[in-house]
Amino acid sequence: MSLLLAQAAVNDANIHFDKLYSYRIPAELAGRVFPGSMVLVPFGRGSKARMAVVLAVGEVDESDAPKGLKTLYDAAPEDARLTPDLLELVRFLKERTFCTWFEAVKAVIPYGAQYRPAVVDGRHVMQGRLTRSTERLYTLAGALPEKPKPGPRQLAAVAALQNGPLTARQLDEVGISRATLDGLVKKGVLTAAEQDKAIDLFAAIPFDPQPLELSPEQQQVFNDLLPNLEDARPHAALLHGVTGSGKTIVFLRLIQRTLELGRRALVLVPEISLTPQMIRRLKSTFGSRLAVQHSALNNTERLLQWRMIQQGNADIVVGTRSAVFAPLQNLGLIIMDEEQEHTYQSESAPRFDAHDVAKKRAVMENALLLFASATPLTETYHAAESGKLQLVQLTHRYGGRPLPSVDFIDMRAELAAGNPREVSVRLARELQENLDNGEQSILLLNRRGYRTIGMCTTCGHVLKCPNCSVPLVYHKPQQALLCHHCGHTVHPLPQTCPECGGKISYSGFGTQRVEEELAELLPGARILRMDQDSTFRKDAHETMLAQFARHEYDILLGTQMVAKGLDFEKVTLVGVLGIDSLLFGQGFRAYESVFSLITQVVGRGGRAALPGRALIQTSVPDHPVLQLAAAQDYKGFYREEITFRRFSLYPPFCSFVVVGFIGDQEGAVFIAAQRFGALLGQHAAQKPNIPLRILGPAPMNITMLNNKFRYKLTLKCRNDAAFRALLHETLDAYDAEKLPQKASVILDFNSDGDL
Ligand code: ADP
Ligand code: ZN
């Protein structure tokens, strides 16, 4: 007798025990269990029900079956299984990021499409996370009988459905209840059917295609890319275009061509705040076969959009990082706009970089992958320079507009002259000028809150989070101190030192403080503050940006979410505040990030008829990175940066991996990290040709987070299959010494120095 076995990866594993487990497939589930199937399995000593994903199915002879073989509890319907493409992406994530199988599964499908364990009539079964993603649709099917005399509500229902079917919700909105409708269904006057909920989230955006006429420079870029779009082979290219050069219109033409070729397009943007603008352009140009995937959608919306994609009803998908997994078939073009943004790297498991996944997909689908930026990552530009990516460039702003002029304001001089404010005299004056001229301004300050530090004036004690080794931030609306990492709140605001009773003084400034100063300095100015605190509401980004576009505000003040991609014609002044702390930040990408941030935000000004100018407040106006950013000299910056990377051995000249160790006892965490380093060194020494440098252990920048201690090893290496095998061996050896009990391990292949 032979029996059917499934090899499954279970949920809630960690890297130390993420193996495949064998289960017997019972006869009644045999037709439903395939590689990619979601199943419910008995796990561990108590045979607790856990979700799992099947990776292989096979037959074995009864006599060869493993001892103590357990039987699957349940399996999801066949149509819920991961397609071979998604399963391949799961394998890719597992192999490249050292996540668990199930973490990879959760990354590639939305929450709403997942299942959870339940018990029904004493049996273990699995249930969909979302059950109410369908709605009832009523259709007129016959005439209303004259007897008994129809009531007014019945007449109203029939009248409402005269012009075609409506959903229960639409009918409810005009006062027709479910009871009335179902009564009419019984009489045969109406029919009812369940359908997927309406999924056109952008019905309000009119289809209004404008001719896409390219400038000669844009046309050249398009022509250069076209052969690689048309030949249905995998290609990757970098579009390096200065801010305002019209990268978007080149995207639109490429998408248009992709659709003509009968293929589909995926557009990735780095932030939710940029999706409305992109959706508007795409929807008005191409109409309705457009879907979005980002985290501001609720679970139902996200699921419905995802199903729409999966069922082949979307030709274009727009979204943030996770949209890179959108199950588009026949993908011909992947665009990754503002490719330098760190938001393309996931900071929780699976710690993937969307660049890598996009490359993988381009290969799987024979698609053209286009990275685009005014300030590409040093690695990306290097790859383009050395011929690994096709390089196309837009060197001028559209319409011959000049790039904004940039000036520095020396904040040391400002302080010496006795200005106690964070907004300099000159910036305030120019903001006022803009106000008088009816022009708009954007101010960037990449710190939220009111005051960023509270310190005792007597003993110097800094008010820190009890769970995390970071200062607490004063938030004015709540009159409270907040931890930006764990959310810990202290209310009311402490006025005296918990150590010595001395007076607490609050200093450092965030967006709330600057908003207040602006209100004092510029009476009558309409100021819009945009940061994580002011945009937590759904649709807040879209609403606020639309208000600013309609000139309902004069000044847009915000964190990095105002720096990128936005295109407003009346913005002629850009101010940059509080940039110095980023310049002196840790991590080998600090300069690159500052250069990019300044170039991006400066590029928001002077994009239409009116010329733009930018003012950068700093205490180090002569800093070479600021000087290069002011000159908007990307190539100059790149040359400096690539020399530094080569000389100090950083990517692209090596791979950079951070191994994090996290546990309850600081000493034990340190020892575990040290032991991991030693094991890694020993195993590496037994192999030929594994280039490797191990640095540390050292405490992470935030040594304590959520009451856990954190140390790291930094590896400079060549991230290939041999190296990854070495890491696996080391993890096994670390396991064998029972060290995961002391400190769990996190591997990050995208870090710039810390986790
Ligand atoms: P980038 O993304 O390169 O910063 P955009 O794509 O936002 O630049 O273009 C900058 C501005 O120039 C936009 O307002 C855009 O509408 C306009 N523009 C660029 N190219 C064209 C074109 N070929 N025809 C009309 N307007 C264009
Ligand atoms: Zn905290």
Side-chain angles (χ1 to χ4, degrees):
M1 263 290 277
S2 70
L3 54 88
L4 267 181
L5 278 192
Q7 306 274 350
V10 291
N11 192 12
D12 291 330
N14 65 42
I15 53 172
H16 304 298
F17 72 94
D18 189 35
K19 306 180 177 55
L20 297 187
Y21 295 86
S22 296
Y23 291 94
R24 177 202 301 266
I25 304 174
E28 69 272 19
L29 296 179
R32 276 208 245 164
V33 180
F34 303 93
S37 292
M38 309 298 276
V39 293
L40 191 69
V41 302
F43 191 76
R45 237 176 261 160
S47 285
K48 283 225 182 68
R50 276 208 200 177
M51 290 306 310
V53 62
V54 174
L55 291 160
V57 171
E59 256 177 67
V60 292
D61 201 76
E62 189 112 37
S63 56
D64 293 337
K67 285 223 163 41
L69 184 68
K70 294 179 181 176
T71 303
L72 294 182
Y73 282 140
D74 196 10
E78 229 238 276
D79 63 359
R81 89 189 219 230
L82 298 180
T83 56
D85 282 353
L86 288 180
L87 205 52
E88 188 167 345
L89 293 177
V90 165
R91 288 180 194 282
F92 179 78
L93 287 175
K94 167 80 180 162
E95 148 82 11
R96 290 305 177 88
T97 73
F98 284 68
C99 64
T100 68
W101 288 109
F102 221 81
E103 282 165 346
V105 169
K106 287 184 199 162
V108 304
I109 58 175
Y111 178 85
Q114 295 169 22
Y115 285 79
R116 62 186 166 82
V119 177
V120 173
D121 298 335
R123 282 183 43 239
H124 290 290
V125 295
M126 49 202 287
Q127 287 180 342
R129 286 272 180 199
L130 285 184
T131 45
R132 279 175 299 138
S133 59
T134 58
E135 59 187 355
R136 250 170 125 73
L137 187 75
Y138 291 94
T139 311
L140 202 55
L144 202 54
E146 308 214 330
K147 275 183 191 159
K149 196 168 179 311
R153 273 175 287 178
Q154 293 183 333
L155 288 168
V158 169
L161 289 165
Q162 248 3 295
N163 294 326
L166 291 172
T167 65
R169 193 170 47 83
Q170 288 167 321
L171 289 159
D172 185 64
E173 275 166 16
V174 295
I176 299 165
S177 73
R178 186 73 185 256
T180 306
L181 294 163
D182 288 341
L184 290 172
V185 170
K186 270 210 193 102
K187 287 187 204 292
V189 179
L190 305 183
T191 56
E194 296 294 318
Q195 66 161 22
D196 274 355
K197 264 190 198 153
I199 41 187
D200 192 358
L201 292 177
F202 327 104
I205 305 173
F207 176 54
D208 178 22
Q210 303 290 329
L212 301 175
E213 277 167 32
L214 301 184
S215 70
E217 196 185 30
Q218 293 165 346
Q219 186 68 45
Q220 186 60 48
V221 162
F222 177 74
N223 292 347
D224 290 348
L225 291 169
L226 200 56
N228 288 342
L229 179 68
E230 289 181 335
D231 76 351
R233 301 277 317 134
H235 294 282
L238 168 64
L239 168 53
H240 177 221
V242 299
T243 57
S245 57
K247 292 185 282 294
T248 318
I249 201 157
V250 175
F251 300 162
L252 296 179
R253 281 289 283 120
L254 288 169
I255 293 168
Q256 189 180 48
R257 185 70 193 126
T258 305
L259 302 184
E260 281 166 13
L261 293 166
R263 307 188 74 192
R264 298 195 168 103
L266 172 62
V267 182
L268 300 172
V269 294
E271 295 228 7
I272 289 166
S273 62
L274 294 178
T275 52
Q277 181 170 301
M278 190 62 85
I279 289 165
R280 198 162 294 278
R281 281 306 283 280
L282 291 169
K283 176 89 199 271
S284 62
T285 311
F286 298 111
S288 64
R289 289 174 58 89
L290 173 71
V292 294
Q293 289 286 288
H294 62 66
S295 57
L297 299 178
N298 68 35
N299 286 324
T300 305
E301 289 167 341
R302 184 148 185 174
L303 175 64
L304 293 171
Q305 293 281 303
W306 189 77
R307 286 220 183 112
M308 174 181 170
I309 302 166
Q310 203 187 28
Q311 290 161 2
N313 294 327
D315 295 326
I316 306 172
V317 173
V318 185
T320 47
R321 182 179 64 225
S322 60
V324 76
F325 300 112
L328 278 165
Q329 311 264 308
N330 197 6
L331 190 55
L333 175 67
I334 305 172
I335 292 170
M336 197 164 172
D337 196 12
E338 310 282 4
E339 68 89 28
Q340 81 285 0
E341 289 300 327
H342 70 90
T343 47
Y344 283 122
Q345 282 110 40
S346 163
E347 288 178 353
S348 59
R351 292 170 179 262
F352 67 92
D353 180 346
H355 290 76
D356 299 332
V357 180
K359 279 184 207 157
K360 168 78 180 163
R361 290 203 75 182
V363 170
M364 284 164 64
E365 303 274 345
N366 286 317
L368 169 63
L369 167 60
L370 181 64
F371 299 117
S373 177
T375 54
L377 285 176
T378 304
E379 288 96 313
T380 308
Y381 198 81
H382 185 258
E385 250 201 341
S386 46
K388 289 186 201 132
L389 295 176
Q390 184 191 3
L391 179 62
V392 287
Q393 317 211 44
L394 292 171
T395 53
H396 297 94
R397 279 198 155 185
Y398 176 73
R401 287 161 199 148
L403 283 165
S405 62
V406 182
D407 255 345
F408 292 102
I409 297 171
D410 188 338
M411 292 308 280
R412 291 165 307 188
E414 198 79 14
L415 198 63
N419 180 7
R421 299 183 195 273
E422 314 301 345
V423 177
S424 62
V425 173
R426 166 140 179 236
L427 179 58
R429 189 178 67 232
E430 300 220 6
L431 285 167
Q432 183 65 52
E433 270 172 32
N434 256 30
L435 212 55
D436 298 341
N437 295 335
E439 292 168 22
Q440 289 177 298
S441 310
I442 291 182
L443 297 183
L444 168 74
L445 169 58
N446 208 10
R447 279 195 302 264
R448 64 195 177 95
Y450 185 72
R451 289 295 195 188
T452 50
I453 195 159
M455 198 198 275
C456 173
T457 49
T458 309
C459 74
H461 174 75
V462 172
L463 299 178
K464 285 193 174 170
C465 174
N467 312 319
C468 311
S469 49
V470 296
L472 291 163
V473 177
Y474 171 14
H475 281 245
K476 196 156 188 188
Q478 296 97 318
Q479 279 300 310
L481 296 179
L482 299 184
C483 173
H484 283 185
H485 295 273
C486 75
H488 179 81
T489 307
V490 179
H491 178 83
L493 194 71
Q495 302 296 346
T496 54
C497 175
E499 299 288 308
C500 76
K503 185 174 174 303
I504 298 285
S505 135
Y506 291 95
S507 60
F509 59 106
T511 44
Q512 293 171 2
R513 171 74 191 178
V514 170
E515 181 185 25
E516 192 176 279
E517 282 192 5
L518 292 172
E520 289 162 16
L521 288 164
L522 307 161
R526 297 163 303 169
I527 302 155
L528 178 62
R529 196 188 90 224
M530 218 172 140
D531 55 27
Q532 202 180 309
D533 302 300
S534 70
T535 56
F536 76 97
R537 225 171 12 85
K538 187 170 163 332
D539 300 336
H541 293 104
E542 184 160 13
T543 314
M544 289 183 167
L545 294 175
Q547 288 171 325
F548 190 65
R550 290 196 300 267
H551 205 160
E552 290 169 21
Y553 291 94
D554 304 300
I555 300 174
L556 174 63
L557 160 69
T559 51
Q560 92 293 337
M561 61 178 77
V562 306
K564 286 158 249 161
L566 303 173
D567 188 33
F568 300 112
E569 29 179 298
K570 279 204 199 157
V571 173
T572 53
L573 173 63
V574 167
V576 180
L577 286 73
I579 197 78
D580 296 354
S581 60
L582 298 180
L583 206 46
F584 300 112
Q586 291 171 357
F588 69 87
R589 290 190 200 287
Y591 284 180
E592 181 178 87
S593 314
V594 172
F595 181 85
S596 159
L597 188 61
I598 294 182
T599 311
Q600 296 295 335
V601 70
V602 166
R604 293 316 102 210
R607 295 169 71 84
L610 303 162
R613 64 203 193 284
L615 294 172
I616 299 173
Q617 298 194 164
T618 173
S619 300
V620 285
D622 298 325
H623 196 290
V625 173
L626 295 186
Q627 290 292 332
L628 287 164
Q632 305 189 47
D633 180 3
Y634 175 78
K635 287 193 186 147
F637 173 77
Y638 169 77
R639 277 192 297 274
E640 298 273 320
E641 184 68 13
I642 201 75
T643 309
F644 156 72
R645 299 275 183 99
R646 183 179 283 121
F647 186 75
S648 314
L649 192 62
Y650 281 113
F653 302 103
C654 70
S655 297
F656 190 88
V657 181
V658 171
V659 190
F661 299 87
I662 298 173
D664 296 325
Q665 246 122 39
E666 185 163 11
V669 173
F670 177 79
I671 289 169
Q674 208 171 32
R675 183 66 188 145
F676 188 100
L679 289 168
L680 182 61
Q682 285 164 20
H683 284 261
Q686 292 160 16
K687 303 192 187 254
N689 268 331
I690 296 231
L692 177 64
R693 286 189 203 176
I694 307 172
L695 308 169
M700 290 197 213
N701 296 347
I702 300 177
T703 312
M704 187 174 75
L705 191 67
N706 281 313
N707 282 313
K708 301 268 189 202
F709 290 93
R710 298 151 30 96
Y711 277 74
K712 65 182 176 188
L713 291 169
T714 305
L715 315 180
K716 290 182 175 180
C717 58
R718 186 175 60 215
N719 181 10
D720 55 11
F723 172 74
R724 292 193 292 269
L726 170 68
L727 276 182
H728 277 296
E729 278 175 25
T730 309
L731 281 167
D732 287 345
Y734 182 85
D735 249 10
E737 297 186 9
K738 300 211 174 346
L739 289 168
Q741 293 164 10
K742 304 259 189 307
S744 55
V745 177
I746 290 176
L747 291 159
D748 192 319
F749 294 80
N750 312 308
S751 166
D752 74 337
D754 209 71
L755 297 183

